[in-house]
Amino acid sequence: MVVTIKFCIFACHNTRIVRVTLGSDMKKYLAILPALFVAVSATAQTAPYLNSELTAQERVDDLMSRLTTDEKISLMMDQSPAIERLGIAEYNWWNEALHGVGRAGLATVLPQSIGMAATWNDSLIYEAFNMVSDEARAKFNDFRRKGDLKRYHCLSFWTPNVNIFRDPRWGRGQETYGEDPYLTSRIGVAVVDGLQGRDPKWMKTIAGAKHFAVHSGPEWNRHTFDARDIDPRDLRETYLPAFKKLVDAGVGQVMCAYNRYEGEPCCSSKKLLQQILRNEWGYDKIIVSDCWAIRDFISDWAHNTHPSGAAASADAVISGTDLECGPVYKDLGKALEDGLITEAQIDESLRKLLMARYEMGELFPDLRTPWDTIPLSIVDSEKHKAIALDMARQSMTLLKNNGVLPLPAAGLKVLVAGPNAADSVTMWGNYNGFPSHTVTALEGIRAYVPEAGYARGCDHVVSSSLVSVFDRLDGGMKARYWNSLSPDGDPVAEVTYSTPLNITTGGATVVAPGVNLNDFSARYEGRFIPAADGNYIIEIEADKGAQTLLIDGKVVASREAGGRNGHKISYMWEGRKDEPNNIVLLYDHRDDVAVLKFDIKTQDKDSLDASDSDVVIFVGGISPKLEGEEMKVSVPGFRGGDRETIELPAVQRALIRNLKEQGKKVVFVNLSGSAVAMAPEAELCDAILQAWYPGQAGGQAIAEVLFGDYNPSGRLPVTFYADDNQLPDFEDYSMNNRTYRYFDGTPLYPFGYGLSYTTFEYPEATLSAPAMKADGTVDLSVKVSNTGDRDGYEVVQIYVASDDKSGPVKTLRDFRRVPVKAGETAVVNFTLDPETFATFDSETERMAVKPGRYNIYYGGSSADVTMIPFEITE
């Protein structure tokens, strides 16, 4: 039996509430109660930190004066233990709320962040995150009542992720609000306001802006990557603006990133944390490390920039990182002994943490907030389910429609196919909570067509067991070896392999006569002749040596030497019967045991019988099981959570083609957290709906759009490129030719794009003046007409560019999501302030408003706009 006794102590005008939980040994615990009462009573009479009439700062300062050095250090780690002698409860800082309360059991699950960005509706996003913080408080109240305050149970959330989704291959891009700094800022501020609340005294929860800064993949090298050559303009105009806006909005935490910036790990970057965040922006709240980022300072497989845990922890704290997620700050005591840090510097960080806990109403038992009585029953309530559905509806982004949509439900024979059609987990995205029920696409469609057929058809990447076709190499695989790390001069050995490669130097076995056990390189080459049209996969397993795979002279996959995230390559391509492919593998082996396996495989032909259907709704795309944070994924086209190609996986592409060849209307519903290149599908399919990872109500929202009960209004928060060839080097952080702001090609679907079941036109726009001073404002009035026969929502978008072409092609500066009834015209008014025209000043390396000519653009997407010339005067 467990009994909780609560008693009150009245002393010095202060009420002290003490809870004591007794275990099964009642006599033992009852015996200590008198002593406990005396001890707590004496403290209540003498300790200012327990005096509710003092200010928060006075109480926190007094509490800090009573903490030992070891206790202070323990409170600077994410798993902060209880300090029982002072009545400080255990607190766990790590918590997630990316699109609903995450990792803490039942919660309302909204669409993934990138899907919410597609709504272009920051008002709805504020409402949604007000709901999320309600659920967070309700769950915290329940966890605290039960004495169960462990990880993911407290009130500080490491949300939102406002990194810029600069490259569609980044697996964590789904967690962001897209590629544009302004859209990201608007949505990020709405999330912060919703999470933290607008009470003048108390914080509802604490939001956290991450990952500061210049962090947008790749995942596989984030513990070693140095963002060293960042153009100052890109830093100020692309990578920092959202963080600045969230700081201005009062975000309670900023999380520093894993990577290095100009040689220093971000969590000890003097430029990022001290110069910009603390000094320039005046940020005086918590900086928290990403999890185990400080460990990267001292790990030989990571940055390895510091000689010891003491040096790493001291540098991080002095640089501004107040709180560590990870174990290294335990060495701060050693850093004190060695004179690497002072106790005053530790106090400076600790004070921020304790003040935050005070502002959440958690630090002292007498604190009371407006949210202490929110009941657990509001979690997953009908009201909250309705918000999740509304968000999912508004996120649906129609990319193509040749008139097939909306579908008639009556008398329609439907086949639902694809790997995401009946997959509830894919609907959630990553960093998710767990809903009581998830409506899959299949369930949503069957609500309209109960007799709809279903066949999965294929997995995301493969459809059946793979069979080796190595014997289709004409004359086998020819290998040449050199006893150096570069294939210079004549090879020392030449070998031809007629069976799949399975090479190892373990046990001093030689690769070939005359070849070193260590430090050798090789070139393997063969002419592969497919026996039939289909998908072919090259599988390579190797040690930590470098590998480069070429097909017909083009590099299609590569691995650098070293690393810690696996050593496999899988590459799929579409082969044509009797059309040869020249395959080359370049390999070098540095040290240790060499391991190299190589094979070519194929799978059965992908087809479904759709003869009894009028239309096929193919629900495909990718999955949060394939794209995400530092994942152990080894399938064709994916690496460590990132993507190696943005093309729709070949197995799905082949199946869609087969369905179309059967003469069927094909509606493609794409689920993904990132842009997918689908140029062939844009030609083949009758309609394409981008559904993102739409959350617990996603299937209902998909069906409502397909069958016309909801008029789609989502707009792309990222550019959908035509193919891989339009992408720069993933590791190049220059914004040159990236995102709609700098891209000089023609995308498949542009940023801001999305179709409706009605049509919109922009008959007129007027400025209140043709020019303004650098500190002035100008009013812009835009008329938008609904020229179709259905009511709908249009997202009116305002872009600006300098006429001298020195910066972006254009950049988003305002937007408004407006309802317009069929046949009517709405007038949308904007006020453009100096910040609208701010650009990078190379002399000051700050943003500034410069006199000169500008172009103002208005319209329904970044590519469909009308220009108005404008001038900024002295």
Side-chain angles (χ1 to χ4, degrees):
M1 178 178 67
V2 176
V3 177
T4 298
I5 296 178
K6 181 172 73 175
F7 59 92
C8 299
I9 302 167
F10 299 91
C12 300
H13 308 290
N14 179 69
T15 302
R16 175 69 168 158
I17 301 175
V18 179
R19 293 177 176 85
V20 180
T21 301
L22 308 181
S24 56
D25 191 347
M26 298 290 289
K27 291 183 179 180
K28 173 183 175 182
Y29 287 102
L30 288 172
I32 69 169
L33 281 180
L36 177 64
F37 182 93
V38 170
V40 174
S41 179
T43 302
Q45 294 178 34
T46 59
Y49 79 92
L50 294 176
N51 186 347
S52 61
E53 295 184 357
L54 297 180
T55 67
Q57 190 68 67
E58 289 170 332
R59 296 181 69 177
V60 165
D61 284 346
D62 180 69
L63 178 62
M64 288 179 60
S65 71
R66 300 169 187 277
L67 291 167
T68 67
T69 299
D70 287 344
E71 288 170 340
K72 290 177 181 180
I73 292 169
S74 73
L75 293 173
M76 293 171 64
M77 304 175 77
D78 70 290
Q79 292 181 287
S80 298
I83 310 296
E84 295 180 0
R85 67 182 185 86
L86 296 174
I88 301 175
E90 177 185 0
Y91 190 83
N92 280 265
W93 288 89
W94 188 349
N95 211 346
E96 307 289 352
L98 189 63
H99 50 119
V101 178
R103 302 176 175 178
L106 180 68
T108 304
V109 178
L110 298 160
Q112 179 57 287
S113 300
I114 194 69
M116 287 192 282
T119 69
W120 289 58
N121 189 343
D122 47 341
S123 296
L124 177 62
I125 289 168
Y126 166 76
E127 179 186 356
F129 276 88
N130 188 48
M131 175 269 289
V132 171
S133 57
D134 277 349
E135 293 200 356
R137 272 287 175 172
K139 294 170 80 67
F140 173 76
N141 294 342
D142 185 62
F143 288 134
R144 181 163 60 174
R145 180 180 59 80
K146 294 175 180 177
D148 185 26
L149 291 178
K150 55 189 179 186
R151 180 167 288 170
Y152 308 131
H153 289 180
C154 292
L155 295 171
S156 46
F157 289 95
W158 294 343
T159 299
N161 183 340
V162 292
N163 291 132
I164 296 302
F165 198 177
R166 67 183 180 92
D167 191 301
R169 290 167 289 197
W170 185 33
R172 297 193 73 180
Q174 62 177 292
E175 303 171 28
T176 75
Y177 306 119
E179 68 185 38
D180 180 74
Y182 180 81
L183 179 63
T184 296
S185 299
R186 283 269 295 264
I187 295 175
V189 168
V191 171
V192 170
D193 284 351
L195 285 176
Q196 296 191 168
R198 293 171 173 170
D199 189 276
K201 181 177 181 181
W202 303 109
M203 300 277 276
K204 193 177 182 185
T205 68
I206 293 184
K210 64 184 185 185
H211 308 85
F212 193 72
V214 198
H215 177 67
S216 304
E219 284 299 295
W220 62 268
N221 68 352
R222 63 183 186 170
H223 300 284
T224 59
F225 182 73
D226 185 1
R228 180 178 292 277
D229 298 318
I230 306 301
D231 187 289
R233 180 165 202 156
D234 289 342
L235 181 69
R236 293 289 178 164
E237 290 191 348
T238 299
Y239 294 114
L240 293 185
F243 287 100
K244 176 64 164 61
K245 284 296 183 184
L246 267 61
V247 166
D248 292 344
V251 69
Q253 301 173 93
V254 172
M255 175 178 280
C256 47
Y258 284 115
N259 57 281
R260 276 175 286 161
Y261 174 71
E262 296 184 344
E264 283 188 301
C266 287
C267 290
S268 65
S269 170
K270 311 305 179 291
K271 182 173 181 179
L272 290 177
L273 304 187
Q274 293 183 354
Q275 178 184 324
I276 296 175
L277 189 56
R278 293 293 194 205
N279 298 333
E280 184 183 329
W281 295 354
Y283 185 69
D284 60 359
K285 301 181 187 298
I286 297 168
I287 298 175
V288 56
S289 79
D290 208 336
C291 292
W292 294 277
I294 310 301
R295 187 181 63 182
D296 287 356
F297 292 19
I298 56 174
S299 299
D300 57 7
W301 50 263
H303 300 308
N304 202 19
T305 51
H306 292 68
S308 65
S313 57
D315 190 20
V317 172
I318 293 169
S319 299
T321 304
D322 307 297
L323 174 68
E324 185 201 12
C325 178
V328 183
Y329 273 16
K330 68 182 186 323
D331 292 335
L332 279 171
K334 181 68 165 57
L336 271 170
E337 293 176 9
D338 294 346
L340 300 176
I341 195 171
T342 67
E343 188 143 3
Q345 289 169 318
I346 288 175
D347 287 350
E348 183 179 351
S349 288
L350 179 61
R351 186 173 289 106
K352 298 185 187 81
L353 303 176
L354 296 180
M355 284 297 295
R357 290 180 64 172
Y358 182 99
E359 290 168 357
M360 288 185 287
E362 177 275 333
L363 186 59
F364 302 124
D366 64 284
L367 302 179
R368 296 290 177 266
T369 77
W371 310 286
D372 291 343
T373 58
I374 295 179
L376 195 61
S377 59
I378 63 111
V379 177
D380 195 44
S381 62
E382 292 305 312
K383 179 182 178 182
H384 291 184
K385 290 177 181 178
I387 293 173
L389 176 58
D390 193 20
M391 188 72 77
R393 286 168 173 156
Q394 294 191 32
S395 73
M396 294 292 131
T397 310
L398 186 61
L399 300 180
K400 179 184 177 181
N401 183 23
N402 66 6
V404 69
L405 298 181
L407 297 168
L412 188 70
K413 294 181 180 179
V414 175
L415 173 64
V416 183
N420 286 328
D423 189 336
S424 60
V425 175
T426 292
M427 310 293 273
W428 300 344
N430 68 358
Y431 278 89
N432 57 281
F434 302 96
S436 57
H437 177 69
T438 301
V439 182
T440 64
L442 178 62
E443 181 182 347
I445 292 165
R446 281 182 170 168
Y448 286 85
V449 185
E451 303 303 317
Y454 167 67
R456 179 178 172 86
C458 63
D459 201 347
H460 294 93
V461 182
V462 296
S463 63
S464 59
S465 59
L466 300 177
V467 179
S468 176
V469 287
F470 191 91
D471 60 357
R472 296 298 300 176
L473 283 167
D474 185 19
M477 178 72 85
K478 297 176 176 60
R480 289 182 289 170
Y481 293 94
W482 291 264
N483 283 332
S484 64
L485 295 180
S486 59
D488 296 327
D490 294 332
V492 296
E494 297 187 29
V495 181
T496 297
Y497 297 91
S498 58
T499 58
L501 277 63
N502 188 359
I503 297 168
T504 179
T505 60
T509 302
V510 296
V511 174
V515 179
N516 293 340
L517 292 177
N518 299 305
D519 294 338
F520 68 83
S521 59
R523 178 186 177 95
Y524 304 88
E525 185 168 4
R527 185 170 179 264
F528 179 75
I529 304 176
D533 291 353
N535 301 315
Y536 293 87
I537 298 172
I538 291 176
E539 292 188 344
I540 304 168
E541 181 176 348
D543 59 7
K544 295 181 179 181
Q547 310 139 54
T548 301
L549 176 66
L550 300 90
I551 296 182
D552 296 329
K554 178 183 177 181
V555 175
V556 295
S558 64
R559 291 284 188 276
E560 293 182 356
R564 58 183 289 268
N565 290 322
H567 49 272
K568 293 182 179 180
I569 290 177
S570 293
Y571 180 78
M572 179 186 287
W573 84 101
E574 293 183 69
R576 298 300 180 196
K577 181 179 179 180
D578 296 331
E579 293 184 8
N581 298 115
N582 191 55
I583 296 171
V584 175
L585 173 64
L586 305 177
Y587 169 75
D588 68 55
H589 174 63
R590 307 296 173 111
D591 50 34
D592 203 4
V593 176
V595 175
L596 179 63
K597 298 178 181 180
F598 178 98
D599 199 1
I600 306 175
K601 298 180 178 181
T602 191
Q603 53 192 357
D604 294 336
K605 184 173 177 60
D606 306 299
S607 62
L608 284 176
D609 182 5
S611 59
D612 195 35
S613 304
D614 301 316
V615 62
V616 179
I617 301 173
F618 186 88
V619 189
I622 51 180
S623 162
K625 298 175 185 176
L626 296 172
E627 59 173 344
E629 181 179 5
E630 200 175 25
M631 303 169 70
K632 294 182 178 179
V633 174
S634 180
V635 296
F638 298 86
R639 179 187 183 187
D642 293 323
R643 299 163 66 193
E644 294 184 311
T645 172
I646 62 170
E647 299 288 344
L648 183 71
V651 63
Q652 297 183 55
R653 179 159 287 169
L655 186 53
I656 290 172
R657 182 184 296 111
N658 176 267
L659 292 167
K660 195 62 183 175
E661 288 171 351
Q662 295 180 49
K664 300 302 173 183
K665 294 178 179 178
V666 178
V667 175
F668 178 32
V669 180
N670 186 68
L671 268 63
S672 65
S674 52
V676 173
M678 51 178 104
E681 291 67 45
E683 292 292 329
L684 287 170
C685 296
D686 297 274
I688 299 176
L689 179 67
Q690 176 64 28
W692 313 104
Y693 299 133
Q696 67 182 50
Q700 181 176 342
I702 289 169
E704 287 181 356
V705 168
L706 295 181
F707 291 94
D709 280 346
Y710 188 83
N711 189 356
S713 58
R715 301 292 184 267
L716 291 179
V718 291
T719 300
F720 271 50
Y721 299 95
D723 54 45
D724 290 329
N725 293 326
Q726 292 186 330
L727 302 179
D729 181 356
F730 191 4
E731 296 182 63
D732 182 359
Y733 266 72
S734 167
M735 290 305 296
N736 182 43
N737 211 30
R738 288 192 184 280
T739 76
Y740 81 95
R741 295 168 61 233
Y742 294 96
F743 184 52
D744 59 11
T746 302
L748 184 63
Y749 299 112
F751 176 85
Y753 174 83
L755 298 176
S756 170
Y757 291 150
T758 190
T759 53
F760 297 98
E761 293 182 0
Y762 290 78
E764 184 184 1
T766 57
L767 285 170
S768 61
M772 77 177 199
K773 292 184 177 181
D775 60 353
T777 62
V778 65
D779 294 327
L780 173 64
S781 179
V782 179
K783 291 183 178 179
V784 57
S785 299
N786 183 337
T787 55
D789 57 5
R790 290 189 57 155
D791 297 348
Y793 279 86
E794 171 68 322
V795 178
V796 181
Q797 301 166 39
I798 308 300
Y799 298 85
V800 170
S802 173
D803 191 52
D804 64 11
K805 312 298 183 185
S806 62
V809 175
K810 63 176 73 75
T811 190
L812 183 70
R813 287 307 195 197
D814 212 338
F815 63 86
R816 196 79 46 78
R817 188 177 187 275
V818 293
V820 190
K821 292 185 178 296
E824 295 188 0
T825 296
V827 178
V828 187
N829 295 312
F830 301 89
T831 296
L832 308 184
D833 59 16
E835 190 173 0
T836 303
F837 302 94
T839 57
F840 178 72
D841 185 335
S842 59
E843 292 184 4
T844 63
E845 293 200 357
R846 301 287 190 274
M847 300 295 287
V849 182
K850 305 174 189 176
R853 295 184 180 277
Y854 292 80
N855 297 320
I856 298 172
Y857 301 88
Y858 64 92
S861 81
S862 62
D864 183 16
V865 289
T866 301
M867 185 189 79
I868 304 176
F870 189 69
E871 186 174 2
I872 303 290
T873 61
E874 295 286 353

